[in-house]
Amino acid sequence: MSTVDLTAKIPNNVDLGQDKRLLRALEQWQPNYLGWWREMGPTDFQGKDCWLRTATSVDAEGWAHFDYVKMPDYRWGIFLADPLPDRRIGFGDAMGEAIWPVVPGEHRNTLRRLIVTQGDTEPASVEQQRMLGHSAPSLYDLRNLFQVNVEEGRHLWAMVYLLHSHFGRDGREEAEELLLRRSGNPDKPRILGAFNEPIDNWLDFFMFTMFTDRDGKYQLLALAESGFDPLSRTCRFMLTEEAHHMFVGESGIERVVERTAELMKLDRNGDARAQGGIDLKALQKFLNLWFALSLDLFGGEVSSNAASYFAAGLKGRAKEETYPDHQALGQTYRLPVPQDGALTEEDVPLRNAMNEVLRDEYVEDCQRGVDRWNKRLEEAGLGDRLRLPSKRFYRHIGIYTEMPFDPEGKLLTREAWEAGRNGWLPTAEDRAFVRTLMQPVREPGKIANWIARPARGIKGLPFEYEYVRLD
Ligand SMILES: [Fe+2]
Ligand SMILES: [Fe+2]
């Protein structure tokens, strides 16, 4: 078990004190990070006590400590999962060879790019969500938002540590850039599309944590397979924290569904909106949007980059050990490819379809969550169901880009698609309506009308607990 230095200026389990140069570089980056946090982190709640968990160890038992903390005082640290004894590269051309404790020269640029792209999403989501504290439906939810935010900040630390410790001067420059890009800013946007979309209401937030954080989970699982061991170890620990973010999204929507079902039954016409709730139709549209945006994050269906990452041992499949074969040579992936206004099945070499393989794992995981939401509807005696749209619907990356597929995956004419659009994706009116519901509820134990209470509070505490002290 690695030892954790919690008293250091930067808590860590990587023996930071032993490497004075690295320590100095990170200590110089730290005030810039805090400056970014103050400017772009959650607005107006920086001086409030929040009941937050802080990572203090990588031990599966009791890795985190819960207490009141003001967000700028949060102990952002660097934690790598413990090394696995005799770990070897588990896939690709270098299968079976020893893992790399340092970056191999020939993979330096590619690895830096992968790390920067992952790292960029972490502060981006904090920026996207910075106004949400003003409209939280309960103190419990407010606290969950801040928990997600501080941990995304820690994930930035995790990636910046790799950049500083393994990529020399370029790494340090990239670490600075990570603090300079801004979500949604046309002059210096964040790298990936979904991370430049505004998130100004809690429905978007729950959909984001359900679908977009889950993309993060699959990227981390694939990078946890990397032959570059420090990357693998940092991703393995990040996944521990990430699980809570997806819980916030999945259980958040589940509570909306539960409340919507109640309100539908209360209303003479079964209209949740008339009762101040979010109707299932609107929920479905937000789901369609965030699912499609998140699918794009996996990249193109056919990708020579994905093939070379796999071949080189840089990025594997999620839980690579569960696949029978780790070379992925001489195998194919069958893909419906648009051609002359129709879809024809094409067999793609499996290595080139690695993005699609990861996306399929992701879709299956999303489906499990949607099934859970539908269970709530079933229990309420309602016949309505939510569903994931086709992987081809509303895509902006890959072979289906900008093509008029409907949510069932059927290729329409452009006119027919435009005519259907308002029924599939949130309209300005839907957004305006959702915004009217976003009135903050700040009394402990109280909750907004449009969402059900959670089944339980945080870490054995009741829902009524004062998770954020506002006075
Ligand atoms: Fe993250
Ligand atoms: Fe996350």
Side-chain angles (χ1 to χ4, degrees):
M1 180 68 51
S2 53
T3 41
V4 176
D5 186 354
L6 292 173
T7 59
K9 212 165 151 194
I10 303 167
N12 71 90
N13 72 343
V14 294
D15 267 340
L16 213 49
Q18 296 306 304
D19 187 340
K20 296 290 177 230
R21 263 180 69 141
L22 176 60
L23 180 64
R24 237 190 343 266
L26 284 166
E27 284 183 352
Q28 271 169 20
W29 186 79
Q30 190 172 35
N32 299 346
Y33 168 81
L34 284 170
W36 166 81
W37 178 269
R38 284 210 183 79
E39 187 196 329
M40 293 312 293
T43 60
D44 300 311
F45 294 89
Q46 304 278 353
K48 307 297 180 194
D49 285 322
C50 310
W51 184 257
L52 296 177
R53 75 176 181 192
T54 304
T56 51
S57 126
V58 291
D59 191 349
E61 307 297 319
W63 60 273
H65 172 74
F66 286 74
D67 205 347
Y68 281 112
V69 57
K70 294 180 180 40
M71 284 184 276
D73 301 333
Y74 191 78
R75 302 280 284 147
W76 284 286
I78 298 164
F79 297 97
L80 269 57
D82 285 324
L84 299 173
D86 192 36
R87 178 170 177 253
R88 300 198 161 253
I89 298 173
F91 59 94
D93 297 340
M95 166 93 196
E97 289 175 21
I99 41 141
W100 318 308
V102 295
V103 181
E106 71 269 35
H107 300 318
R108 190 186 159 93
N109 286 344
T110 314
L111 276 168
R112 194 186 61 214
R113 199 71 219 142
L114 284 170
I115 290 167
V116 167
T117 307
Q118 177 62 41
D120 191 68
T121 65
E122 317 287 358
S125 67
V126 175
E127 295 168 358
Q128 286 171 291
Q129 297 161 15
R130 63 192 298 267
M131 301 303 289
L132 285 175
H134 292 288
S135 54
S138 72
L139 288 184
Y140 164 90
D141 290 290
L142 186 61
R143 175 263 167 215
N144 282 347
L145 167 70
F146 294 156
Q147 183 70 64
V148 170
N149 292 159
V150 292
E151 285 175 352
E152 299 305 5
R154 205 205 67 75
H155 292 173
L156 173 60
W157 272 95
M159 293 295 128
V160 163
Y161 164 72
L162 293 180
L163 290 169
H164 271 246
S165 56
H166 291 277
F167 295 88
R169 194 197 169 134
D170 329 347
R172 289 192 293 278
E173 283 171 10
E174 294 281 13
E176 287 303 323
E177 298 281 325
L178 283 167
L179 296 176
L180 296 177
R181 284 184 288 272
R182 291 286 180 270
S183 175
N185 183 322
D187 298 327
K188 41 178 182 176
R190 291 292 174 183
I191 296 170
L192 300 170
F195 293 89
N196 287 300
E197 297 285 323
I199 298 184
D200 55 10
N201 68 70
W202 282 72
L203 187 51
D204 280 321
F205 173 65
F206 288 139
M207 290 295 180
F208 179 94
T209 37
M210 169 71 187
F211 292 112
T212 310
D213 273 282
R214 196 173 306 277
D215 153 74
K217 168 185 169 182
Y218 281 83
Q219 299 305 330
L220 293 176
L221 281 170
L223 292 173
E225 300 293 331
S226 183
F228 178 39
D229 201 45
L231 176 60
S232 163
R233 290 173 56 199
T234 204
C235 289
R236 275 194 279 132
F237 183 63
M238 287 162 76
L239 281 160
T240 316
E241 292 163 311
E242 207 57 52
H244 174 69
H245 308 180
M246 287 172 290
F247 162 82
V248 168
E250 187 171 330
S251 66
I253 298 293
E254 187 177 353
R255 289 160 53 211
V256 176
V257 169
E258 199 184 321
R259 183 61 181 153
T260 297
E262 278 171 18
L263 293 172
M264 284 169 75
K265 290 201 280 186
L266 276 178
D267 191 81
R268 233 180 341 153
N269 305 313
D271 182 357
R273 220 184 250 221
Q275 298 292 323
I278 300 174
D279 51 296
L280 290 175
K281 189 124 213 284
L283 266 178
Q284 181 67 59
K285 292 191 213 178
F286 280 78
L287 183 165
N288 289 347
L289 174 68
W290 283 103
F291 182 64
L293 290 173
S294 305
L295 287 178
D296 277 340
L297 297 171
F298 289 82
E301 286 75 11
V302 187
S303 164
S304 54
N305 275 344
S308 60
Y309 299 162
F310 187 87
L314 303 178
K315 187 177 174 187
R317 289 169 288 194
K319 306 196 178 95
E320 181 63 44
E321 77 280 2
T322 60
Y323 287 86
D325 164 87
H326 305 292
Q327 295 291 336
L329 285 171
Q331 299 172 60
T332 54
Y333 182 99
R334 181 151 286 191
L335 192 67
V337 177
Q339 225 165 42
D340 310 323
L343 289 169
T344 42
E345 305 263 301
E346 245 175 55
D347 289 322
V348 179
L350 185 56
R351 282 188 177 188
N352 290 74
M354 283 305 173
N355 288 342
E356 200 56 14
V357 171
L358 197 60
R359 191 160 22 229
D360 285 340
E361 298 256 6
Y362 165 81
V363 172
E364 205 179 296
D365 196 9
C366 291
Q367 184 61 54
R368 186 200 40 73
V370 173
D371 290 346
R372 210 184 146 105
W373 300 339
N374 283 333
K375 255 251 139 61
R376 296 284 93 82
L377 293 173
E378 195 185 321
E379 284 163 5
L382 295 170
D384 314 73
R385 296 292 179 264
L386 294 165
R387 49 180 60 86
L388 294 177
S390 158
K391 284 195 289 181
R392 297 189 284 277
F393 173 70
Y394 200 56
R395 293 292 303 280
H396 294 86
I397 288 192
I399 58 176
Y400 309 117
T401 296
E402 313 272 347
M403 297 186 72
F405 287 102
D406 73 3
E408 271 70 56
K410 210 170 115 222
L411 190 56
L412 307 181
T413 62
R414 177 61 57 192
E415 296 69 40
W417 193 91
E418 289 298 340
R421 183 195 171 106
N422 288 349
W424 301 325
L425 291 165
T427 61
E429 293 77 49
D430 292 326
R431 290 197 165 277
F433 174 70
V434 168
R435 256 197 309 275
T436 64
L437 302 181
M438 298 294 127
Q439 304 301 329
V441 175
R442 293 179 167 174
E443 223 177 297
K446 294 273 161 59
I447 188 132
N449 182 54
W450 54 270
I451 185 169
R453 288 165 55 123
R456 54 191 69 81
I458 300 296
K459 195 72 181 163
L461 292 172
F463 170 69
E464 290 78 9
Y465 192 73
E466 193 174 8
Y467 290 105
V468 184
R469 290 179 179 148
L470 291 174
D471 4 82

